[in-house]
Amino acid sequence: MGVPEPHELRKTAESFGIDAGRYDRARPRYPEALITEIVGNTPGASILDVGTGTGIAARQFKNTGCQVLGVEPDERMAEFARTTGIDVEVANFEEWDPKNRTFDILTAGQAWHWVDPQRGAEKAAQVVKPGGTFAVFWHLFLPPDDIAKAFGEAFRKVAPNFPIKVDRTPNREAYKPIIDKTEEALHKTGFHNPQRHFYTWQQNYTRAEYLDLLPTQGGLTRVPKPQQEEVLAAVGAAIDARGGQFTCDYTTVLFTAAS
């Protein structure tokens, strides 16, 4: 599944809280090398996690000894994150009131594309301490061609007018337009030393695990249940043809800048 079109991002973001438990259970975690790169030599750092969702990345940062505060627009997602030990304030980042608080690091996992680049950069400049770090990151996943084809064909059949393209082949440049806009906006607010990092890895999925993950993706969260089940059945059949399991390739893209 490719990157959503800009005008659909808010609608898609608001759909993730439909089943927060499934989202937290099925969504992949982030590579430990990425967590280490962001935290660096700042153990115990204070982190503001934008679009914290159910707290997946926030918990990984907290486990390194960091103090983490999440900002999340969806109360359902925020409430789930709180049950896992993450402090969360409910707001869109652009409108969120930091109450004069500042942080060593600002992070956003799978979330910065929901934020207006210019307003987000201005708020980031307000809340990241001098010498601090801005770090946003996304997963790109590439299942085998036959499984991707089964999903694309089934999805187009049940939702032919859906505005998000689901059959683009993701690559490490997929988020380049978003990162370019973010870098330009951050530069205007005083951030410097922009860097891009790529982490490639793999994850094995059983049929049940992958069909648990798919409904948390931005396309299926907005498809009615009967149509969703039709798509899952088609993908499940493709996985069955592979013996009931497969290996998915991932690239996690990280963009950082210094304040």
Side-chain angles (χ1 to χ4, degrees), residues 4-17:
E5 299 299 327
H7 63 282
E8 288 297 317
L9 292 174
R10 287 291 183 188
K11 293 180 181 178
T12 302
E14 292 166 359
S15 70
F16 291 131

Side-chain angles (χ1 to χ4, degrees), residues 194-225:
Q195 297 186 28
R196 306 182 191 208
H197 310 261
F198 302 91
Y199 304 85
T200 57
W201 50 286
Q202 294 180 319
Q203 184 157 322
N204 295 322
Y205 286 102
T206 64
R207 182 185 197 275
E209 289 168 342
Y210 197 64
L211 297 190
D212 197 32
L213 168 67
L214 280 184
T216 74
Q217 303 299 318
L220 283 184
T221 55
R222 294 174 57 192
V223 173
K225 191 71 172 180

Side-chain angles (χ1 to χ4, degrees), residues 140-144 201-203 246-251:
L140 292 165
F141 72 98
L142 182 61
W201 50 286
Q202 294 180 319
Q203 184 157 322
F246 70 97
T247 299
C248 187
D249 293 324
Y250 277 88
T251 295

Side-chain angles (χ1 to χ4, degrees), residues 133-144:
T133 300
F134 174 94
V136 296
F137 42 96
W138 295 268
H139 289 313
L140 292 165
F141 72 98
L142 182 61

